[in-house]
Amino acid sequence: MRTPGDGRGGTGGGPGGAPDRRAPRWVPVASFAARYLAEVPLQALEAEGIPVLVKGEEPGIWGPGFPGPTSQGIRLFVPEAALEDARLTLGELAGPEEG
């Protein structure tokens, strides 16, 4: 559930209840060897309204990373204010925990 100032939208968050207009600090929440392994956790976060940033090799649908692991892997990032919610949402879906 979203509440004012929780970092996931709504109002508040800044001084005096004003919206916080600063860019969020993105922090890693999970990592995976291949993009297809990150899809279910990615969709779970998005379903909860948690913004997600995906970083890693993105060679395209038929590129070398599509069918399996990539040398860099795939990392999911969320805004720092949503990190705890993201960890609760992912539970055991997450790969090795970051940080």
Side-chain angles (χ1 to χ4, degrees):
M1 178 175 188
R2 292 183 183 189
T3 59
D6 71 357
R8 295 190 311 161
T11 60
D20 191 351
R21 303 248 187 253
R22 293 176 291 169
R25 179 173 177 256
W26 293 85
V27 294
V29 69
S31 60
F32 302 90
R35 173 66 188 236
Y36 73 89
L37 296 172
E39 286 298 323
V40 171
L42 171 65
Q43 296 297 320
L45 291 169
E46 289 178 341
E48 289 295 319
I50 300 172
V52 184
L53 177 64
V54 180
K55 287 190 176 183
E57 287 185 15
E58 295 288 343
I61 193 166
W62 303 115
F66 180 72
T70 66
S71 61
Q72 295 177 1
I74 301 294
R75 295 174 73 192
L76 301 181
F77 290 76
V78 297
E80 187 172 36
L83 182 59
E84 191 60 35
D85 287 341
R87 286 181 175 159
L88 290 172
T89 297
L90 292 178
E92 294 186 19
L93 292 175
E97 189 171 320
E98 298 285 338

